[in-house]
Amino acid sequence: MTTARRRAAGRFFAALVTAVGSIAAAPPAHAQIEDPVQLDTGLISGGPVSSTGIRVFRGIPFAAPPVGDLRWRPPRPATSWDGVRAADEFGNVCVQPPGMGRLNIAVLEGSPPVDEDCLYLNVWTGAESPSEGRPVMVYAYGGAFTEGAGSVALYDGTRLAEKGPVVVTLNYRLGPLGFYVHPDLAAESEHGAVGNYGLMDVLAVLRWVQANIAAFGGDPDNVTLFGQSAGAMMVAVLAASPEAVGLFHRGIAQSAGWMGLTMTPMRTRAQTGQQGLEAAEALGAPTVAELRALPADEVSALRGAGIIVDGWVIPEDLTIVFEEGRQNEVDILVGSTRDEGSFFAEGPTAAEWANQVRSRWGDLAEEVLALYPPEQVAESFPELFSDELTWQMRLLGERQADTGNQAYAYSFAYTPPVDPGIPSLGAAHAAEIPYVFNNLGQPPLYPDNSSPELAAASGSGQALAELMSSYWVNFARGDPNGDGLPEWPAFHSLLDSPAMVLTEDAAPEAEIPIEKFTLFNTLYERQLETLAGN
């Protein structure tokens, strides 16, 4: 890995922590719902029906453009239109960097333009009539809350829609335009809230789904919100947000929980507001009015705060909400990849590692160092990160199961192929996405460095993609299991429920890492005591 890529990985990690049916299903009929489709804002006409019976409606506005005085405000309703609006091209991509020294698949050559006017969604459906009541799957992309788009080819919903559901992808505001915190913004909010504008965009999409998805043959009472990394964090936090009650019924969180990617208390508007004010002053525009007058590319010099406790969408640290069982009634499918931390090419030295562990773990440090020894720091550092994220995802599953919801857990342990000369990162962060969408031939999301061509040509990879996409679709119906699929057991407890290992030979894990999970549980209990004392 080059020095530039190592540095890019470090920057990406910093942003992450801050933000933080069956295979043999019958093929769909090629008849389609009538075009145009009536929405609550007007008529739209989609693209042609594919050979497999799927029609795509692209670039549907779900909110007013968040520009001018609407910058840093909750999304407002989209304006109605007369006549029939063409929905055959993706909408603008939200403002974001080109990739911080690496590939950003949301802004490739041929991608939609980058613009602050970017609140659009896309729908894939194979329904023949609005009365079919198909399950709905809404995807929120990852990208450290700084990049991504619903138009990315990797997230094309065709292969999932072929298995029955109506699939929705979306854009949400990113970086400082989506997650900026400034004290003056709270004063103008009717809720006294600030930040989380990108999260509010996802809520607006879920409300749009409730109002409109039946027109595409979808069931508004059977909605699954799924996402990876930053998108998975959105799934987790909205599963406990009072603003999301009844808007979705199942959630799939891939590699992130309500705490982000590591065990940490959620940050508040008080903790982030001063930083936002100081950044605005450094930009020469200390007031919100002056900031709104700046072009979007200049505002991009600010830094997004990620998801915070805003006092409205997230009224309090969700650690407490989940511990007290006050979260929403949402079934959950959660998991992570085996090698989540494999892209950290530059870690600490052995001495630095020992000091970091002792500083964080206190009197538990020697037990941790025995499991993650300093003399093997090159392996210990990414392994601890991976194990912690695994623990956190399963804790989310355990908490949902505790309140009577269905829960399932997985570990993605397949090693995708890489081109000659490219070091394999194993089952890296984001490596599962092509298999979930069954889109093996598309450029992967960073840091996954697998080869799309080799993945698409791999027999084992094709079989795994068929398996995983079927599991995901089946879960959207209520249970990941189905005819011809290896049995996936329900998940109840961190210490005695096996996760499903998703690889060439999918099966429940043979051994649960109880010793590691027990250590994480102990550290977590101490964090809870600290939160309770605040």
Side-chain angles (χ1 to χ4, degrees), residues 424-459:
S424 174
L425 298 181
H429 188 70
E432 85 284 2
I433 300 175
Y435 301 87
V436 167
F437 281 90
N438 203 350
N439 287 333
L440 299 184
Q442 300 298 336
L445 178 67
Y446 180 85
D448 177 16
N449 65 350
S450 61
S451 165
E453 294 77 17
L454 293 178
S458 166

PDB file of all heavy atoms in Angstrom, residues 424-459:
ATOM      1  N   SER A 424      -4.321  -8.062  -0.748  1.00  0.00           N
ATOM      2  CA  SER A 424      -5.663  -8.376  -0.290  1.00  0.00           C
ATOM      3  C   SER A 424      -5.888  -7.812   1.108  1.00  0.00           C
ATOM      4  O   SER A 424      -5.037  -7.930   1.985  1.00  0.00           O
ATOM      5  CB  SER A 424      -5.883  -9.892  -0.263  1.00  0.00           C
ATOM      6  OG  SER A 424      -7.138 -10.203   0.320  1.00  0.00           O
ATOM      7  N   LEU A 425      -7.028  -7.184   1.307  1.00  0.00           N
ATOM      8  CA  LEU A 425      -7.429  -6.715   2.630  1.00  0.00           C
ATOM      9  C   LEU A 425      -8.388  -7.693   3.292  1.00  0.00           C
ATOM     10  O   LEU A 425      -8.961  -7.396   4.340  1.00  0.00           O
ATOM     11  CB  LEU A 425      -8.089  -5.336   2.528  1.00  0.00           C
ATOM     12  CG  LEU A 425      -7.221  -4.200   1.980  1.00  0.00           C
ATOM     13  CD1 LEU A 425      -8.001  -2.898   1.961  1.00  0.00           C
ATOM     14  CD2 LEU A 425      -5.940  -4.047   2.783  1.00  0.00           C
ATOM     15  N   GLY A 426      -8.570  -8.858   2.683  1.00  0.00           N
ATOM     16  CA  GLY A 426      -9.464  -9.858   3.237  1.00  0.00           C
ATOM     17  C   GLY A 426     -10.909  -9.413   3.174  1.00  0.00           C
ATOM     18  O   GLY A 426     -11.342  -8.742   2.233  1.00  0.00           O
ATOM     19  N   ALA A 427     -11.657  -9.790   4.191  1.00  0.00           N
ATOM     20  CA  ALA A 427     -13.061  -9.368   4.289  1.00  0.00           C
ATOM     21  C   ALA A 427     -13.087  -7.988   4.940  1.00  0.00           C
ATOM     22  O   ALA A 427     -13.413  -7.828   6.114  1.00  0.00           O
ATOM     23  CB  ALA A 427     -13.860 -10.378   5.101  1.00  0.00           C
ATOM     24  N   ALA A 428     -12.725  -6.985   4.163  1.00  0.00           N
ATOM     25  CA  ALA A 428     -12.510  -5.628   4.672  1.00  0.00           C
ATOM     26  C   ALA A 428     -13.824  -4.891   4.896  1.00  0.00           C
ATOM     27  O   ALA A 428     -14.901  -5.338   4.462  1.00  0.00           O
ATOM     28  CB  ALA A 428     -11.642  -4.836   3.697  1.00  0.00           C
ATOM     29  N   HIS A 429     -13.734  -3.762   5.575  1.00  0.00           N
ATOM     30  CA  HIS A 429     -14.873  -2.858   5.730  1.00  0.00           C
ATOM     31  C   HIS A 429     -15.431  -2.545   4.339  1.00  0.00           C
ATOM     32  O   HIS A 429     -14.696  -2.162   3.428  1.00  0.00           O
ATOM     33  CB  HIS A 429     -14.387  -1.575   6.414  1.00  0.00           C
ATOM     34  CG  HIS A 429     -15.466  -0.628   6.805  1.00  0.00           C
ATOM     35  ND1 HIS A 429     -16.360  -0.885   7.820  1.00  0.00           N
ATOM     36  CD2 HIS A 429     -15.786   0.605   6.334  1.00  0.00           C
ATOM     37  CE1 HIS A 429     -17.185   0.139   7.963  1.00  0.00           C
ATOM     38  NE2 HIS A 429     -16.866   1.062   7.065  1.00  0.00           N
ATOM     39  N   ALA A 430     -16.716  -2.737   4.143  1.00  0.00           N
ATOM     40  CA  ALA A 430     -17.454  -2.479   2.897  1.00  0.00           C
ATOM     41  C   ALA A 430     -17.374  -3.629   1.892  1.00  0.00           C
ATOM     42  O   ALA A 430     -18.030  -3.573   0.850  1.00  0.00           O
ATOM     43  CB  ALA A 430     -17.003  -1.188   2.208  1.00  0.00           C
ATOM     44  N   ALA A 431     -16.634  -4.693   2.197  1.00  0.00           N
ATOM     45  CA  ALA A 431     -16.458  -5.768   1.212  1.00  0.00           C
ATOM     46  C   ALA A 431     -17.733  -6.547   0.946  1.00  0.00           C
ATOM     47  O   ALA A 431     -17.853  -7.219  -0.082  1.00  0.00           O
ATOM     48  CB  ALA A 431     -15.354  -6.722   1.678  1.00  0.00           C
ATOM     49  N   GLU A 432     -18.698  -6.479   1.859  1.00  0.00           N
ATOM     50  CA  GLU A 432     -19.930  -7.259   1.692  1.00  0.00           C
ATOM     51  C   GLU A 432     -20.921  -6.611   0.733  1.00  0.00           C
ATOM     52  O   GLU A 432     -21.841  -7.277   0.233  1.00  0.00           O
ATOM     53  CB  GLU A 432     -20.596  -7.480   3.056  1.00  0.00           C
ATOM     54  CG  GLU A 432     -21.513  -6.375   3.555  1.00  0.00           C
ATOM     55  CD  GLU A 432     -20.782  -5.142   4.086  1.00  0.00           C
ATOM     56  OE1 GLU A 432     -19.528  -5.110   4.043  1.00  0.00           O
ATOM     57  OE2 GLU A 432     -21.453  -4.199   4.558  1.00  0.00           O
ATOM     58  N   ILE A 433     -20.767  -5.328   0.441  1.00  0.00           N
ATOM     59  CA  ILE A 433     -21.810  -4.599  -0.298  1.00  0.00           C
ATOM     60  C   ILE A 433     -22.088  -5.189  -1.683  1.00  0.00           C
ATOM     61  O   ILE A 433     -23.256  -5.370  -2.052  1.00  0.00           O
ATOM     62  CB  ILE A 433     -21.455  -3.104  -0.410  1.00  0.00           C
ATOM     63  CG1 ILE A 433     -21.330  -2.478   0.978  1.00  0.00           C
ATOM     64  CG2 ILE A 433     -22.517  -2.359  -1.215  1.00  0.00           C
ATOM     65  CD1 ILE A 433     -20.861  -1.036   0.961  1.00  0.00           C
ATOM     66  N   PRO A 434     -21.057  -5.523  -2.503  1.00  0.00           N
ATOM     67  CA  PRO A 434     -21.380  -6.089  -3.818  1.00  0.00           C
ATOM     68  C   PRO A 434     -22.189  -7.376  -3.731  1.00  0.00           C
ATOM     69  O   PRO A 434     -22.979  -7.679  -4.636  1.00  0.00           O
ATOM     70  CB  PRO A 434     -19.999  -6.346  -4.429  1.00  0.00           C
ATOM     71  CG  PRO A 434     -19.067  -5.431  -3.700  1.00  0.00           C
ATOM     72  CD  PRO A 434     -19.613  -5.352  -2.311  1.00  0.00           C
ATOM     73  N   TYR A 435     -22.029  -8.124  -2.646  1.00  0.00           N
ATOM     74  CA  TYR A 435     -22.731  -9.396  -2.480  1.00  0.00           C
ATOM     75  C   TYR A 435     -24.160  -9.169  -1.987  1.00  0.00           C
ATOM     76  O   TYR A 435     -25.072  -9.907  -2.359  1.00  0.00           O
ATOM     77  CB  TYR A 435     -21.931 -10.300  -1.538  1.00  0.00           C
ATOM     78  CG  TYR A 435     -20.548 -10.562  -2.090  1.00  0.00           C
ATOM     79  CD1 TYR A 435     -19.491  -9.685  -1.825  1.00  0.00           C
ATOM     80  CD2 TYR A 435     -20.310 -11.637  -2.945  1.00  0.00           C
ATOM     81  CE1 TYR A 435     -18.238  -9.892  -2.370  1.00  0.00           C
ATOM     82  CE2 TYR A 435     -19.051 -11.848  -3.497  1.00  0.00           C
ATOM     83  CZ  TYR A 435     -18.022 -10.964  -3.217  1.00  0.00           C
ATOM     84  OH  TYR A 435     -16.778 -11.160  -3.781  1.00  0.00           O
ATOM     85  N   VAL A 436     -24.357  -8.153  -1.180  1.00  0.00           N
ATOM     86  CA  VAL A 436     -25.705  -7.805  -0.729  1.00  0.00           C
ATOM     87  C   VAL A 436     -26.572  -7.398  -1.920  1.00  0.00           C
ATOM     88  O   VAL A 436     -27.716  -7.849  -2.057  1.00  0.00           O
ATOM     89  CB  VAL A 436     -25.659  -6.668   0.306  1.00  0.00           C
ATOM     90  CG1 VAL A 436     -27.048  -6.086   0.542  1.00  0.00           C
ATOM     91  CG2 VAL A 436     -25.052  -7.160   1.622  1.00  0.00           C
ATOM     92  N   PHE A 437     -26.035  -6.538  -2.793  1.00  0.00           N
ATOM     93  CA  PHE A 437     -26.794  -6.061  -3.948  1.00  0.00           C
ATOM     94  C   PHE A 437     -26.681  -6.986  -5.156  1.00  0.00           C
ATOM     95  O   PHE A 437     -27.341  -6.751  -6.160  1.00  0.00           O
ATOM     96  CB  PHE A 437     -26.323  -4.661  -4.339  1.00  0.00           C
ATOM     97  CG  PHE A 437     -26.878  -3.555  -3.477  1.00  0.00           C
ATOM     98  CD1 PHE A 437     -26.216  -3.140  -2.347  1.00  0.00           C
ATOM     99  CD2 PHE A 437     -28.083  -2.947  -3.800  1.00  0.00           C
ATOM    100  CE1 PHE A 437     -26.727  -2.123  -1.542  1.00  0.00           C
ATOM    101  CE2 PHE A 437     -28.608  -1.928  -3.009  1.00  0.00           C
ATOM    102  CZ  PHE A 437     -27.933  -1.521  -1.875  1.00  0.00           C
ATOM    103  N   ASN A 438     -25.825  -8.011  -5.051  1.00  0.00           N
ATOM    104  CA  ASN A 438     -25.582  -8.915  -6.178  1.00  0.00           C
ATOM    105  C   ASN A 438     -25.106  -8.126  -7.400  1.00  0.00           C
ATOM    106  O   ASN A 438     -25.525  -8.368  -8.526  1.00  0.00           O
ATOM    107  CB  ASN A 438     -26.840  -9.717  -6.512  1.00  0.00           C
ATOM    108  CG  ASN A 438     -26.520 -11.013  -7.250  1.00  0.00           C
ATOM    109  OD1 ASN A 438     -25.391 -11.244  -7.671  1.00  0.00           O
ATOM    110  ND2 ASN A 438     -27.534 -11.849  -7.417  1.00  0.00           N
ATOM    111  N   ASN A 439     -24.205  -7.176  -7.135  1.00  0.00           N
ATOM    112  CA  ASN A 439     -23.630  -6.333  -8.187  1.00  0.00           C
ATOM    113  C   ASN A 439     -22.110  -6.500  -8.202  1.00  0.00           C
ATOM    114  O   ASN A 439     -21.354  -5.573  -7.941  1.00  0.00           O
ATOM    115  CB  ASN A 439     -23.991  -4.862  -7.949  1.00  0.00           C
ATOM    116  CG  ASN A 439     -25.441  -4.552  -8.257  1.00  0.00           C
ATOM    117  OD1 ASN A 439     -26.068  -5.224  -9.074  1.00  0.00           O
ATOM    118  ND2 ASN A 439     -25.994  -3.550  -7.600  1.00  0.00           N
ATOM    119  N   LEU A 440     -21.654  -7.703  -8.522  1.00  0.00           N
ATOM    120  CA  LEU A 440     -20.229  -8.013  -8.387  1.00  0.00           C
ATOM    121  C   LEU A 440     -19.359  -7.309  -9.419  1.00  0.00           C
ATOM    122  O   LEU A 440     -18.156  -7.188  -9.219  1.00  0.00           O
ATOM    123  CB  LEU A 440     -20.012  -9.530  -8.494  1.00  0.00           C
ATOM    124  CG  LEU A 440     -20.704 -10.384  -7.436  1.00  0.00           C
ATOM    125  CD1 LEU A 440     -20.322 -11.847  -7.603  1.00  0.00           C
ATOM    126  CD2 LEU A 440     -20.353  -9.913  -6.035  1.00  0.00           C
ATOM    127  N   GLY A 441     -19.920  -6.846 -10.492  1.00  0.00           N
ATOM    128  CA  GLY A 441     -19.113  -6.246 -11.546  1.00  0.00           C
ATOM    129  C   GLY A 441     -18.913  -4.747 -11.421  1.00  0.00           C
ATOM    130  O   GLY A 441     -18.342  -4.129 -12.326  1.00  0.00           O
ATOM    131  N   GLN A 442     -19.358  -4.148 -10.313  1.00  0.00           N
ATOM    132  CA  GLN A 442     -19.282  -2.698 -10.170  1.00  0.00           C
ATOM    133  C   GLN A 442     -18.108  -2.277  -9.273  1.00  0.00           C
ATOM    134  O   GLN A 442     -17.708  -3.033  -8.394  1.00  0.00           O
ATOM    135  CB  GLN A 442     -20.580  -2.154  -9.569  1.00  0.00           C
ATOM    136  CG  GLN A 442     -21.811  -2.447 -10.404  1.00  0.00           C
ATOM    137  CD  GLN A 442     -21.742  -1.813 -11.777  1.00  0.00           C
ATOM    138  OE1 GLN A 442     -21.046  -0.819 -11.992  1.00  0.00           O
ATOM    139  NE2 GLN A 442     -22.473  -2.396 -12.722  1.00  0.00           N
ATOM    140  N   PRO A 443     -17.554  -1.074  -9.499  1.00  0.00           N
ATOM    141  CA  PRO A 443     -16.466  -0.600  -8.633  1.00  0.00           C
ATOM    142  C   PRO A 443     -16.898  -0.606  -7.170  1.00  0.00           C
ATOM    143  O   PRO A 443     -17.992  -0.141  -6.841  1.00  0.00           O
ATOM    144  CB  PRO A 443     -16.213   0.831  -9.138  1.00  0.00           C
ATOM    145  CG  PRO A 443     -16.691   0.831 -10.546  1.00  0.00           C
ATOM    146  CD  PRO A 443     -17.867  -0.107 -10.573  1.00  0.00           C
ATOM    147  N   PRO A 444     -16.054  -1.129  -6.282  1.00  0.00           N
ATOM    148  CA  PRO A 444     -16.435  -1.246  -4.872  1.00  0.00           C
ATOM    149  C   PRO A 444     -16.237   0.051  -4.111  1.00  0.00           C
ATOM    150  O   PRO A 444     -15.568   0.981  -4.561  1.00  0.00           O
ATOM    151  CB  PRO A 444     -15.488  -2.335  -4.357  1.00  0.00           C
ATOM    152  CG  PRO A 444     -14.247  -2.154  -5.196  1.00  0.00           C
ATOM    153  CD  PRO A 444     -14.736  -1.735  -6.556  1.00  0.00           C
ATOM    154  N   LEU A 445     -16.832   0.097  -2.926  1.00  0.00           N
ATOM    155  CA  LEU A 445     -16.696   1.244  -2.044  1.00  0.00           C
ATOM    156  C   LEU A 445     -15.403   1.134  -1.251  1.00  0.00           C
ATOM    157  O   LEU A 445     -15.088   0.082  -0.694  1.00  0.00           O
ATOM    158  CB  LEU A 445     -17.892   1.308  -1.083  1.00  0.00           C
ATOM    159  CG  LEU A 445     -17.888   2.437  -0.050  1.00  0.00           C
ATOM    160  CD1 LEU A 445     -18.048   3.784  -0.737  1.00  0.00           C
ATOM    161  CD2 LEU A 445     -18.999   2.227   0.984  1.00  0.00           C
ATOM    162  N   TYR A 446     -14.651   2.235  -1.185  1.00  0.00           N
ATOM    163  CA  TYR A 446     -13.454   2.276  -0.357  1.00  0.00           C
ATOM    164  C   TYR A 446     -13.809   1.922   1.086  1.00  0.00           C
ATOM    165  O   TYR A 446     -14.862   2.352   1.577  1.00  0.00           O
ATOM    166  CB  TYR A 446     -12.857   3.694  -0.420  1.00  0.00           C
ATOM    167  CG  TYR A 446     -11.611   3.876   0.399  1.00  0.00           C
ATOM    168  CD1 TYR A 446     -10.375   3.545  -0.126  1.00  0.00           C
ATOM    169  CD2 TYR A 446     -11.681   4.375   1.699  1.00  0.00           C
ATOM    170  CE1 TYR A 446      -9.226   3.712   0.632  1.00  0.00           C
ATOM    171  CE2 TYR A 446     -10.545   4.540   2.454  1.00  0.00           C
ATOM    172  CZ  TYR A 446      -9.320   4.204   1.912  1.00  0.00           C
ATOM    173  OH  TYR A 446      -8.191   4.358   2.673  1.00  0.00           O
ATOM    174  N   PRO A 447     -12.976   1.117   1.788  1.00  0.00           N
ATOM    175  CA  PRO A 447     -11.630   0.660   1.440  1.00  0.00           C
ATOM    176  C   PRO A 447     -11.561  -0.697   0.751  1.00  0.00           C
ATOM    177  O   PRO A 447     -10.459  -1.223   0.576  1.00  0.00           O
ATOM    178  CB  PRO A 447     -10.957   0.597   2.807  1.00  0.00           C
ATOM    179  CG  PRO A 447     -12.050   0.173   3.719  1.00  0.00           C
ATOM    180  CD  PRO A 447     -13.279   0.874   3.214  1.00  0.00           C
ATOM    181  N   ASP A 448     -12.699  -1.306   0.416  1.00  0.00           N
ATOM    182  CA  ASP A 448     -12.685  -2.569  -0.323  1.00  0.00           C
ATOM    183  C   ASP A 448     -11.894  -2.380  -1.618  1.00  0.00           C
ATOM    184  O   ASP A 448     -12.221  -1.521  -2.428  1.00  0.00           O
ATOM    185  CB  ASP A 448     -14.122  -2.985  -0.619  1.00  0.00           C
ATOM    186  CG  ASP A 448     -14.222  -4.252  -1.448  1.00  0.00           C
ATOM    187  OD1 ASP A 448     -13.225  -4.983  -1.549  1.00  0.00           O
ATOM    188  OD2 ASP A 448     -15.315  -4.503  -1.991  1.00  0.00           O
ATOM    189  N   ASN A 449     -10.836  -3.156  -1.810  1.00  0.00           N
ATOM    190  CA  ASN A 449     -10.005  -3.014  -3.005  1.00  0.00           C
ATOM    191  C   ASN A 449     -10.102  -4.235  -3.902  1.00  0.00           C
ATOM    192  O   ASN A 449      -9.187  -4.537  -4.670  1.00  0.00           O
ATOM    193  CB  ASN A 449      -8.542  -2.745  -2.619  1.00  0.00           C
ATOM    194  CG  ASN A 449      -7.905  -3.922  -1.883  1.00  0.00           C
ATOM    195  OD1 ASN A 449      -8.594  -4.860  -1.496  1.00  0.00           O
ATOM    196  ND2 ASN A 449      -6.597  -3.878  -1.679  1.00  0.00           N
ATOM    197  N   SER A 450     -11.213  -4.954  -3.835  1.00  0.00           N
ATOM    198  CA  SER A 450     -11.387  -6.157  -4.639  1.00  0.00           C
ATOM    199  C   SER A 450     -11.585  -5.802  -6.107  1.00  0.00           C
ATOM    200  O   SER A 450     -11.906  -4.668  -6.470  1.00  0.00           O
ATOM    201  CB  SER A 450     -12.576  -6.963  -4.120  1.00  0.00           C
ATOM    202  OG  SER A 450     -13.776  -6.219  -4.209  1.00  0.00           O
ATOM    203  N   SER A 451     -11.407  -6.795  -6.957  1.00  0.00           N
ATOM    204  CA  SER A 451     -11.524  -6.617  -8.407  1.00  0.00           C
ATOM    205  C   SER A 451     -12.947  -6.917  -8.857  1.00  0.00           C
ATOM    206  O   SER A 451     -13.420  -8.054  -8.686  1.00  0.00           O
ATOM    207  CB  SER A 451     -10.562  -7.558  -9.125  1.00  0.00           C
ATOM    208  OG  SER A 451     -10.881  -7.666 -10.497  1.00  0.00           O
ATOM    209  N   PRO A 452     -13.664  -5.955  -9.433  1.00  0.00           N
ATOM    210  CA  PRO A 452     -15.019  -6.227  -9.914  1.00  0.00           C
ATOM    211  C   PRO A 452     -15.045  -7.323 -10.981  1.00  0.00           C
ATOM    212  O   PRO A 452     -15.949  -8.173 -10.979  1.00  0.00           O
ATOM    213  CB  PRO A 452     -15.473  -4.887 -10.492  1.00  0.00           C
ATOM    214  CG  PRO A 452     -14.603  -3.866  -9.840  1.00  0.00           C
ATOM    215  CD  PRO A 452     -13.292  -4.536  -9.608  1.00  0.00           C
ATOM    216  N   GLU A 453     -14.063  -7.305 -11.863  1.00  0.00           N
ATOM    217  CA  GLU A 453     -14.036  -8.294 -12.951  1.00  0.00           C
ATOM    218  C   GLU A 453     -13.825  -9.703 -12.407  1.00  0.00           C
ATOM    219  O   GLU A 453     -14.520 -10.653 -12.791  1.00  0.00           O
ATOM    220  CB  GLU A 453     -12.940  -7.947 -13.957  1.00  0.00           C
ATOM    221  CG  GLU A 453     -13.169  -6.654 -14.731  1.00  0.00           C
ATOM    222  CD  GLU A 453     -12.863  -5.404 -13.916  1.00  0.00           C
ATOM    223  OE1 GLU A 453     -12.163  -5.529 -12.875  1.00  0.00           O
ATOM    224  OE2 GLU A 453     -13.311  -4.300 -14.307  1.00  0.00           O
ATOM    225  N   LEU A 454     -12.850  -9.849 -11.502  1.00  0.00           N
ATOM    226  CA  LEU A 454     -12.580 -11.178 -10.945  1.00  0.00           C
ATOM    227  C   LEU A 454     -13.728 -11.637 -10.058  1.00  0.00           C
ATOM    228  O   LEU A 454     -14.064 -12.829 -10.036  1.00  0.00           O
ATOM    229  CB  LEU A 454     -11.273 -11.153 -10.152  1.00  0.00           C
ATOM    230  CG  LEU A 454      -9.995 -10.922 -10.965  1.00  0.00           C
ATOM    231  CD1 LEU A 454      -8.779 -10.874 -10.051  1.00  0.00           C
ATOM    232  CD2 LEU A 454      -9.825 -12.007 -12.031  1.00  0.00           C
ATOM    233  N   ALA A 455     -14.338 -10.702  -9.317  1.00  0.00           N
ATOM    234  CA  ALA A 455     -15.460 -11.073  -8.460  1.00  0.00           C
ATOM    235  C   ALA A 455     -16.635 -11.576  -9.295  1.00  0.00           C
ATOM    236  O   ALA A 455     -17.274 -12.582  -8.959  1.00  0.00           O
ATOM    237  CB  ALA A 455     -15.886  -9.881  -7.615  1.00  0.00           C
ATOM    238  N   ALA A 456     -16.915 -10.882 -10.410  1.00  0.00           N
ATOM    239  CA  ALA A 456     -18.043 -11.269 -11.257  1.00  0.00           C
ATOM    240  C   ALA A 456     -17.814 -12.610 -11.931  1.00  0.00           C
ATOM    241  O   ALA A 456     -18.771 -13.317 -12.274  1.00  0.00           O
ATOM    242  CB  ALA A 456     -18.296 -10.187 -12.303  1.00  0.00           C
ATOM    243  N   ALA A 457     -16.534 -12.983 -12.135  1.00  0.00           N
ATOM    244  CA  ALA A 457     -16.202 -14.237 -12.804  1.00  0.00           C
ATOM    245  C   ALA A 457     -16.054 -15.397 -11.829  1.00  0.00           C
ATOM    246  O   ALA A 457     -15.859 -16.541 -12.257  1.00  0.00           O
ATOM    247  CB  ALA A 457     -14.916 -14.069 -13.603  1.00  0.00           C
ATOM    248  N   SER A 458     -16.139 -15.117 -10.534  1.00  0.00           N
ATOM    249  CA  SER A 458     -15.908 -16.143  -9.523  1.00  0.00           C
ATOM    250  C   SER A 458     -17.185 -16.930  -9.251  1.00  0.00           C
ATOM    251  O   SER A 458     -18.216 -16.360  -8.883  1.00  0.00           O
ATOM    252  CB  SER A 458     -15.423 -15.490  -8.220  1.00  0.00           C
ATOM    253  OG  SER A 458     -15.492 -16.389  -7.141  1.00  0.00           O
ATOM    254  N   GLY A 459     -17.110 -18.249  -9.416  1.00  0.00           N
ATOM    255  CA  GLY A 459     -18.273 -19.076  -9.135  1.00  0.00           C
ATOM    256  C   GLY A 459     -18.701 -19.014  -7.682  1.00  0.00           C
ATOM    257  O   GLY A 459     -19.889 -18.900  -7.376  1.00  0.00           O
TER     258      GLY A 459
END
